Amino acid sequence: MTAPMRWLGAGRRSITFRITLVFALITTAVLLGLGLLIGQAVEQHFVEQDMDQLEGKTHLAGHLLAQAHTHTELKGLAQGLNDSLVGHHGLALAVVDVQGTVLFATPDAPFPLRMLGAEGVSNKPQTWTDAGVPWRGFSTAVQSGVQGVPPLHVAVAVDISHHAHFMASFRLQLWLYVALAAVLVGLLGWMAVRRGLAPLQAMRQGAAGVTASRLNTRLDLATVPVELADLASTLNDMLARLQDSFQRLQDFASDLAHELRTPISNLMTETQVALTQARSPAEYRDILASNIEEFERLARMLGDMLFLAKADNGLMVPNREAVDLGEQVRELFDYFEALSEDKGLRLSLHGSAEVAGDKLMLRRALANLLANAIRHTPHGGDIRVTIDSADERSVVLRVINSGDAIAPEHLPRLFDRFYRADPARHRSSEGAGLGLAITKSIVLAHGGQIAVSSGGQGSCFEVRFPGPG
């Protein structure tokens, strides 16, 4: 990263400042480059213009020298050379022979000595300053008409003060224009960026209005530019998730407080009643036994909440081993045999398959499904468990119980914590409302899916596990 880029990225500078500065720097660089290009083109034009004039005079001097056939005529060309310079102000001419003798030179000829010697013949333009006056000229070899005489050195030069003044004025105006343009572009760029970022300010103001009591606020996508539409949509989705999570958290806190209030209230009431008068040891044992039941209920509830908290934070990592689902269901049938016989329920199993997972966790999930089915199946009903491994990629387990259909509005929330489709049921006779939530967490931890459907023939909980392969 270059130093300017590091400087732009240092500290907390606004986007408006950064974009405006970069825009102004780029514009200034472009204008400077364009100005230098134009300056070089103008300078080159002046050089070519001067060289055309100097070459013309050189050709004229060469023509005059070619007409001199004797040394006397050669020395008498001064008048002709002077006449060739008439009407050309600021033009200088010098003719030198190979011995360095000046045959002709304009008054106060400004030529440096290097141009009058043999080494000065290059036919290339040279620039120098004499007495504060800038000159441009060149030196070339010209053959005279005198037989046996080596070529003479002809040096021509022109005063370029006018050109130099023009270029100085041009460069000054150019730098002033570039500086003014940079300031103007920076100002206009700042205004444009501020206007372009106005939707971000509107989004910031909208987001600032979101509070715990106003999570239903959403950004209006119709007023957002296309470039920010995805960002606004993502923010709206985030707000929707926050609203749903916050609502669930509120419901959970309310339900948890309600669930804890009942056993704690029972413990307080029984204890207060027990303290109103002296009682026999047997009565105290009955009160303590009742309290133990409430404490056990609280312990189970707290244990379930800890289990769900670990699941929510990805801390529940199941062990992987081959688990026979059919065998686990048969053992659970034996465990629930007494309860099912009391209600006259018929339990049946069809199919079997193995999955890779934690045996204890899967057994707990199956137990919760069966306990839920037994709880909500009327007397004399049927509970069927089917296990299907039709393809190698998944194993489907269904727990189907006969009974009344569950209202459609309850189905999406059956796996929520503390949620009961029939709140009028006596809570003490059921669990804490966490069984299905725990079941879902276990299934998800094993990479599976769980769903529920209900109709006139009863309800069906379907669990789909990845295949053992």
Side-chain angles (χ1 to χ4, degrees):
M1 183 184 293
T2 62
M5 291 299 103
R6 288 196 300 268
W7 182 77
L8 286 174
R12 294 185 57 192
R13 294 185 175 89
S14 67
I15 296 178
T16 302
F17 172 80
R18 295 182 182 184
I19 296 179
T20 302
L21 183 58
V22 171
F23 188 60
L25 289 176
I26 292 175
T27 304
T28 302
V30 171
L31 290 176
L32 283 174
L34 182 61
L36 292 174
L37 180 63
I38 295 175
Q40 290 178 356
V42 173
E43 182 71 25
Q44 183 63 30
H45 170 73
F46 286 151
V47 172
E48 293 175 356
Q49 188 180 47
D50 294 338
M51 289 300 293
D52 287 340
Q53 183 181 9
L54 295 175
E55 288 175 356
K57 292 305 175 183
T58 303
H59 291 158
L60 180 58
H63 177 70
L64 293 175
L65 292 174
Q67 294 178 355
H69 300 289
T70 64
H71 289 283
T72 302
E73 292 178 351
L74 187 62
K75 294 179 181 180
L77 288 177
Q79 184 61 41
L81 293 173
N82 273 328
D83 292 341
S84 68
L85 299 177
V86 173
H88 296 279
H89 177 72
L91 195 64
L93 175 66
V95 179
V96 183
D97 60 15
V98 293
Q99 286 81 24
T101 303
V102 177
L103 301 179
F104 171 82
T106 55
D108 299 325
F111 298 101
L113 294 178
R114 69 177 183 276
M115 290 187 64
L116 301 178
E119 67 278 0
V121 177
S122 64
N123 294 327
K124 294 182 179 180
Q126 302 181 41
T127 303
W128 69 92
T129 301
D130 182 75
V133 178
W135 294 84
R136 178 179 292 120
F138 72 96
S139 176
T140 185
V142 176
Q143 183 64 50
S144 67
V146 181
Q147 295 295 330
V149 176
L152 304 176
H153 298 166
V154 177
V156 289
V158 63
D159 182 355
I160 58 173
S161 299
H162 176 71
H163 295 170
H165 293 159
F166 175 83
M167 290 303 299
S169 176
F170 173 79
R171 290 189 180 95
L172 177 60
Q173 293 180 11
L174 174 65
W175 305 143
L176 290 177
Y177 173 78
V178 169
L180 179 62
V183 174
L184 183 61
V185 167
L187 179 60
L188 295 178
W190 179 81
M191 296 173 60
V193 173
R194 288 282 295 180
R195 185 175 181 84
L197 294 180
L200 283 178
Q201 294 294 332
M203 294 173 63
R204 183 192 64 80
Q205 294 174 359
V210 177
T211 62
S213 59
R214 294 183 58 190
L215 287 174
N216 59 339
T217 302
R218 297 293 184 272
L219 301 176
D220 187 3
L221 298 181
T223 62
V224 176
V226 177
E227 294 81 0
L228 299 177
D230 291 341
L231 174 61
S233 178
T234 302
L235 289 176
N236 283 341
D237 293 341
M238 179 190 70
L239 290 174
R241 293 192 299 270
L242 286 176
Q243 182 181 13
D244 180 68
S245 299
F246 195 81
Q247 184 62 44
R248 289 176 178 271
L249 182 61
Q250 284 184 322
D251 295 342
F252 169 74
S254 177
D255 292 338
L256 180 61
H258 185 77
E259 293 292 338
L260 292 176
R261 183 179 61 183
T262 300
I264 293 176
S265 178
N266 292 340
L267 289 171
M268 290 179 60
T269 301
E270 291 184 0
T271 304
Q272 289 172 351
V273 171
L275 294 177
T276 57
Q277 60 182 2
R279 302 183 182 276
S280 65
E283 291 175 329
Y284 281 124
R285 280 194 297 271
D286 292 340
I287 293 173
L288 292 176
S290 177
N291 288 349
I292 288 177
E293 293 180 0
E294 297 296 339
F295 283 127
E296 289 176 347
R297 181 181 176 186
L298 285 173
R300 287 194 302 270
M301 186 184 303
L302 294 176
D304 291 343
M305 288 305 304
L306 180 61
F307 183 90
L308 291 173
K310 290 182 178 180
D312 290 345
N313 290 278
L315 301 177
M316 186 176 63
V317 181
N319 297 320
R320 296 292 178 178
E321 60 178 310
V323 179
D324 189 333
L325 294 180
E327 179 182 353
Q328 297 302 314
V329 171
R330 283 189 291 271
E331 292 179 0
L332 289 172
F333 278 177
D334 295 337
Y335 177 79
F336 289 111
E337 180 180 5
L339 183 59
S340 60
E341 287 181 354
D342 288 343
K343 297 186 65 174
L345 304 179
R346 294 178 293 275
L347 307 179
S348 61
L349 170 65
H350 304 278
S352 182
E354 284 190 355
V355 296
D358 189 291
K359 182 176 181 180
L360 294 179
M361 292 174 63
L362 290 175
R363 184 182 179 91
R364 183 175 185 178
L366 295 175
N368 289 340
L369 291 176
L370 287 175
N372 180 76
I374 293 173
R375 185 181 303 115
H376 294 92
T377 302
H379 185 81
D382 296 321
I383 296 177
R384 293 181 294 114
V385 178
T386 64
I387 302 174
D388 182 13
S389 57
D391 57 73
E392 297 180 354
R393 292 176 298 178
S394 62
V395 174
V396 180
L397 180 144
R398 297 180 179 88
V399 178
I400 307 168
N401 65 289
S402 60
D404 298 334
I406 303 174
E409 63 269 18
H410 295 305
L411 292 179
R413 299 199 59 189
L414 283 183
F415 298 102
D416 291 352
R417 301 169 188 179
F418 299 116
Y419 185 80
R420 293 183 177 84
D422 184 8
R425 285 181 176 270
H426 184 52
R427 294 180 178 263
S428 62
S429 64
E430 303 180 3
L434 297 173
L436 293 180
I438 292 175
T439 300
K440 181 179 179 179
S441 297
I442 293 175
V443 171
L444 294 178
H446 284 78
Q449 299 175 346
I450 186 169
V452 59
S453 59
S454 185
Q457 302 300 319
S459 301
C460 173
F461 287 83
E462 179 180 291
V463 182
R464 187 176 297 271
F465 292 105

